[in-house]
Amino acid sequence: MLALNIVLYALLGTSLAFAIVELGLSAFVVAAYTGTREIATWNVYSGYSYSEVDVKAPAILSFLVFTSVWTILVTVAALVLPWYYTRKSVTAKLNTVLAATFVAIYFVTMVFWLACFADLASLLGGGTTTNSYYNAVLAFGVLLWLLFVALVVFTILAMCGVLVSDWAGYQSLRKDHGVDAHQTSTGPVHEVPTSRNPITPWKLCTVTLRVF
């Protein structure tokens, strides 16, 4: 139980830190990419002429900024909600709703990061580039994808009862019906004589005489 809680804290905390770093890197790249550029054109009669054009960042870079913000909100909610609801009485219905919500959101976030780093790698020609900012954005995108793959796997294992946790949303969805786990003996129960009706020697002799 404690081991799974530590793993979940580590995965969510690392995802939050990486998402903040990725947000800063991707926002810097978008800001550096977007703006006006002066382009020189050659004409045979007039020579070089210069004109300004507006340059926009590729859509995948803007989507990286959105996915980073989305991940920050998801990780903060995933850290706060189980802690908040675990302090109260967690019903089976609440646990089921939270578990389904966590799996769905983790899976969507995992797909977002897969699309981000795959499209960015395709934009860079299928590999890295000499620009260190693009390489860092790509590397953190891959790491965040792996982190959310792990979160999906651990959440499903907790739901199936393979791993045990007391967090709301990570408790097992199985319902055990059967013998009480605290029962230590299955043999017949013998009554212990009490002192309400003590057996006196006179009563014992009377019973013996009646038998004979």
Side-chain angles (χ1 to χ4, degrees):
M1 182 184 300
L2 181 60
L4 179 59
N5 293 347
I6 293 174
V7 170
L8 291 173
Y9 267 124
L11 291 174
L12 291 171
T14 306
S15 299
L16 177 60
F18 283 3
I20 294 173
V21 174
E22 185 78 341
L23 176 60
L25 289 172
S26 57
F28 175 79
V29 172
V30 169
Y33 203 104
T34 306
T36 58
R37 300 288 186 274
E38 192 176 60
I39 298 177
T41 56
W42 167 258
N43 191 304
V44 178
Y45 301 102
S46 59
Y48 284 102
S49 61
Y50 296 91
S51 59
E52 291 185 349
V53 295
D54 293 329
V55 180
K56 294 183 179 180
I60 186 58
L61 294 178
S62 301
F63 187 66
L64 272 165
V65 175
F66 165 77
T67 306
S68 300
V69 175
W70 166 274
T71 304
I72 292 172
L73 297 177
V74 166
T75 50
V76 170
L79 284 169
V80 172
L81 287 179
W83 171 80
Y84 174 76
Y85 283 112
T86 304
R87 297 176 62 187
K88 301 182 178 181
S89 58
V90 182
T91 61
K93 183 178 181 180
L94 174 62
N95 181 65
T96 303
V97 171
L98 286 177
T101 303
F102 287 152
V103 171
I105 291 179
Y106 292 160
F107 181 79
V108 170
T109 310
M110 179 190 70
V111 173
F112 281 174
W113 283 114
L114 176 61
C116 284
F117 84 79
D119 199 354
L120 183 60
S122 176
L123 183 66
L124 298 177
T128 58
T129 180
T130 55
N131 192 321
S132 58
Y133 289 102
Y134 282 101
N135 294 336
V137 169
L138 183 61
F140 277 104
V142 175
L143 291 175
L144 283 164
W145 173 69
L146 293 174
L147 286 170
F148 277 93
V149 169
L151 282 170
V152 170
V153 171
F154 278 110
T155 306
I156 293 176
L157 291 177
M159 290 171 58
C160 296
V162 178
L163 300 176
V164 181
S165 175
D166 59 347
W167 275 15
Y170 297 94
Q171 298 177 12
S172 175
L173 301 184
R174 293 180 178 179
K175 294 182 180 180
D176 298 328
H177 300 282
V179 184
D180 186 5
H182 298 288
Q183 185 176 357
T184 58
S185 176
T186 58
V189 179
H190 300 280
E191 294 183 356
V192 179
T194 60
S195 59
R196 293 182 179 179
N197 297 315
I199 300 177
T200 61
W202 174 254
K203 290 184 179 181
L204 182 60
C205 294
T206 306
V207 172
T208 306
L209 290 175
R210 287 181 180 177
V211 172
F212 289 102

